Amino acid sequence: MSIRIKFCGAAGTVTGSCYWIEHDKGAFIVDCGMFQGSKTLKSLNYGEFPFPAEKADFLLVTHAHIDHSGLVPKLLGNGFHGRVYATKGTKDLLHFMLPDNGYIQETEAAAKEITGLDYQKWFEPAPGVRARFWNAGHILGSASIELEIETGESDQRILRMLFSGDIGPDHKLFHPDPEAPSDLDYVICEATYGARKRPDVPPKKRRGLLAKIINKAMGRGGVLVIPAFSVERTQELLADLSILMRQDAIKESLIFLDSPLAIKATEVFASHVDELEDVGEDGEIFDNPALHFTRSVDESKAINQYENGVIIIAASGMCEAGRIRHHLKRRLWDKKNTVLLVGYQALGTLGAILESGARAVRIQGEDVIVNAHIESVDFYSGHVDADGLFDWVVARKPVKRGVFITHGENEGLNALRDRLVASGFDEDRVIIPQLDDEIDLLGRKGRAKLAKPRRLTQEEVVEFDWHNDLAQLSLDIRDRLEKAADERARGVIIRRLRRALEGE
């Protein structure tokens, strides 16, 4: 009997979550997400899958964020014919969140083939496999996935696994605290914030901090731009903004929700309002006359006429695509404006570059000077912090065979591993897999084996690529030229650069 797992994404990096599990009776996939970050990493979205998609019996999706679900249409276009299983909330979100990426028919097919299920109810997606979803407290419909796979072994007929998905913090707006079973053979756990601790910020305090940022931003006489993930972050912000306006904690301002995806997500949240917590007695948290949905491109462009006194919320949360890049290009140069980052910014993304304090960035092929005030907060994060991650894993004990730590950058991955080992977990059984590692789950050691070369080396996965270096070099050259004393000095710099290119 053999049960093998292949780490096809979110291994050594935060995005691209995807796991291939093969056993004697078949094969299946857990998550099929997009890679985000450097161009080298994103190139994996366009290459071949590192597994035979046509041989998969089914797909389980932890939640609707694109780094967990964005390549589902491509999966169907590559021969996958099984069913897709998710919670009911995830199913509703996926109906409009699945990007077509040139697979329009496959996107429509995927939406039709999704089976929406309740939490904590067992189902059998294929012979020899049972599964059930547990609330992960991350976004609407998010789940950890418990699996039981028949082994045929005389001493252990069932292998029990748990995929964490993305775990939300305790006491989060809208959702109950995360839940999951214990007494498992393997746990596959995310480590997005494995090295970061956050102070406890209850809703009232969070809104107070947000109010200070907004009042300061509006006091500068400019515009507040908020890049936000379409699902959950946007809805939390809308709820808090509405409450603050009703309490007169902030001046009533025009709020533009400039993201067709976020608008649709907000409508789904409104349809699931009876499942959400802390939404007030009437549940009308998204009903505010100051809120304007801008669906069309023309409506989006019309926002440009406002020079002050408005709040613009647009996707994506990491500033990688969508209308947010248009607004940043339009607003970053002006010191009166403010950009508020409210979510995790993966290495290599435009959001991470802004968060690092870059003086200039490149957007849509043009260099843009950064004079706007860049603010960053993490009290809207949908991810549990380092302490919460550690507590979550410990609560899963006993974990008999091993813990795989994924979905994080090196610092977070290593921090969580070291903390678990220090607490008594066997060092050999706390594993940080690399991209494309294959591991025999029934083997004593569980060592990684490769059927063929990795798609990327570990260095290519975790580091900036030449595209990032080139963009930064271009910005540095421009900065140096602008600071030069006169035209003669600029000419000297340019001649030196030309000689360097010619190899002199």
Side-chain angles (χ1 to χ4, degrees):
M1 180 68 184
S2 174
I3 301 177
R4 302 184 66 81
I5 183 171
K6 185 168 186 175
F7 296 87
C8 305
T13 185
V14 173
T15 60
S17 181
C18 185
Y19 309 92
W20 169 264
I21 298 92
E22 194 165 2
H23 59 109
D24 284 0
K25 294 184 179 180
F28 61 92
I29 306 163
V30 176
D31 280 349
C32 194
M34 280 185 167
F35 290 90
Q36 297 169 286
S38 69
K39 287 190 176 181
T40 297
L41 197 57
K42 287 189 288 189
S43 69
L44 296 177
N45 296 326
Y46 306 101
E48 294 182 0
F49 286 113
F51 51 77
E54 71 280 1
K55 292 186 178 181
D57 299 314
F58 60 91
L59 166 68
L60 303 173
V61 179
T62 59
H63 64 286
H65 278 153
I66 64 168
D67 61 323
H68 290 257
S69 67
L71 292 185
V72 173
K74 180 181 175 180
L75 187 68
L76 272 74
N78 279 259
F80 171 74
H81 298 294
R83 288 205 66 82
V84 181
Y85 295 91
T87 65
K88 291 179 179 178
T90 296
K91 175 183 178 179
D92 288 350
L93 290 171
L94 287 178
H95 271 290
F96 64 84
M97 285 192 67
L98 289 178
D100 61 71
N101 297 312
Y103 292 96
I104 297 175
Q105 291 181 339
E106 286 76 10
T107 299
E108 294 173 350
K112 293 178 181 178
E113 292 300 319
I114 299 171
T115 299
L117 299 167
D118 293 325
Y119 289 114
Q120 298 187 37
K121 289 189 177 181
W122 285 107
F123 62 100
E124 296 184 9
V129 181
R130 289 207 313 161
R132 60 176 168 174
F133 295 111
W134 292 82
N135 168 56
H138 175 60
I139 66 169
L140 178 67
S142 63
S144 299
I145 301 177
E146 180 185 4
L147 283 165
E148 290 188 352
I149 306 173
E150 293 180 4
T151 68
E153 294 183 343
S154 59
D155 60 334
Q156 182 179 355
R157 299 190 61 82
I158 297 294
L159 186 76
R160 300 191 67 236
M161 305 174 65
L162 179 69
F163 291 82
S164 71
D166 285 354
I167 307 166
D170 289 345
H171 314 303
K172 185 179 179 296
L173 185 66
F174 297 157
H175 305 297
D177 295 347
E179 298 177 291
S182 58
D183 191 12
L184 301 149
D185 292 299
Y186 287 103
V187 171
I188 297 87
C189 183
E190 64 116 332
T192 309
Y193 281 160
R196 189 183 304 185
K197 297 182 181 180
R198 290 193 302 267
D200 183 30
V201 183
K204 185 176 180 179
K205 183 177 180 181
R206 182 187 68 234
R207 292 180 189 121
L209 294 171
L210 178 64
K212 287 182 180 180
I213 293 172
I214 293 173
N215 289 329
K216 193 172 183 179
M218 295 295 99
R220 296 187 181 109
V223 169
L224 174 61
V225 179
I226 307 178
F229 296 101
S230 297
V231 179
E232 201 80 16
R233 296 300 83 71
T234 291
Q235 290 74 39
E236 289 178 318
L237 281 164
L238 293 178
D240 278 355
L241 288 168
S242 180
I243 291 170
L244 288 172
M245 287 183 185
R246 290 175 181 177
Q247 295 174 344
D248 292 326
I250 61 174
K251 182 180 178 181
E252 185 166 308
S253 304
L254 288 177
I255 304 170
F256 292 101
L257 181 53
D258 191 27
S259 166
L261 191 59
I263 292 169
K264 292 178 180 177
T266 302
E267 292 169 348
V268 172
F269 269 70
S271 69
H272 284 264
V273 72
D274 59 327
E275 303 170 24
L276 306 178
E277 297 187 345
D278 305 315
V279 296
E281 293 183 4
D282 56 9
E284 298 296 330
I285 54 174
F286 309 123
D287 183 18
N288 188 314
L291 176 60
H292 295 263
F293 288 170
T294 51
R295 302 175 189 270
S296 71
V297 173
D298 288 340
E299 288 174 322
S300 177
K301 290 180 178 179
I303 301 173
N304 289 339
Q305 66 183 297
Y306 293 93
E307 297 295 334
N308 54 65
V310 301
I311 299 171
I312 304 168
I313 303 174
S316 69
M318 296 183 191
C319 311
E320 282 292 271
R323 295 180 181 179
I324 189 61
R325 294 177 76 88
H326 162 76
H327 292 297
L328 291 173
K329 186 177 179 181
R330 169 76 173 79
R331 307 288 181 175
L332 277 174
W333 64 271
D334 193 338
K335 64 182 180 180
K336 296 193 301 296
N337 296 329
T338 304
V339 176
L340 175 60
L341 302 171
V342 296
Y344 184 83
Q345 307 299 319
L347 183 68
T349 61
L350 177 57
I353 294 170
L354 287 171
E355 192 173 43
S356 71
R359 301 184 306 275
V361 294
R362 194 166 182 83
I363 302 176
Q364 298 170 342
E366 296 183 21
D367 296 340
V368 180
I369 301 300
V370 180
N371 289 322
H373 296 264
I374 309 298
E375 301 275 358
S376 179
V377 299
D378 64 0
F379 46 72
Y380 281 101
S381 174
H383 288 271
V384 67
D385 71 357
D387 288 343
L389 277 172
F390 174 76
D391 291 342
W392 187 90
V393 178
V394 170
R396 309 284 75 81
K397 293 173 68 175
V399 182
K400 303 180 184 70
R401 293 184 179 240
V403 177
F404 296 109
I405 304 177
T406 64
H407 206 287
E409 294 170 358
N410 280 339
E411 184 181 12
L413 296 167
N414 292 324
L416 181 56
R417 179 194 59 190
D418 293 346
R419 194 168 176 184
L420 290 173
V421 171
S423 73
F425 280 79
D426 188 335
E427 184 174 4
D428 289 336
R429 297 182 183 276
V430 182
I431 302 166
I432 300 175
Q434 295 183 22
L435 186 68
D436 295 334
D437 274 356
E438 293 183 16
I439 296 178
D440 180 1
L441 295 176
L442 297 180
R444 289 186 177 181
K445 297 294 185 182
R447 299 304 183 189
K449 295 182 179 180
L450 290 176
K452 54 185 177 181
R454 302 181 195 278
R455 287 170 290 165
L456 295 177
T457 66
Q458 189 65 6
E459 289 73 22
E460 290 173 318
V461 170
V462 303
E463 294 179 356
F464 284 115
D465 60 16
W466 70 269
H467 299 93
N468 299 97
D469 292 336
L470 176 62
Q472 187 59 54
L473 176 62
S474 173
L475 295 170
D476 290 343
I477 291 172
R478 176 170 178 166
D479 184 57
R480 185 71 176 269
L481 289 170
E482 289 179 346
K483 289 181 179 178
D486 50 34
E487 290 299 317
R488 185 170 181 275
R490 294 186 183 95
V492 170
I493 294 171
I494 291 172
R495 286 194 295 275
R496 288 175 179 172
L497 288 170
R498 285 177 175 162
R499 285 197 297 269
L501 289 173
E502 294 166 358
E504 296 183 8

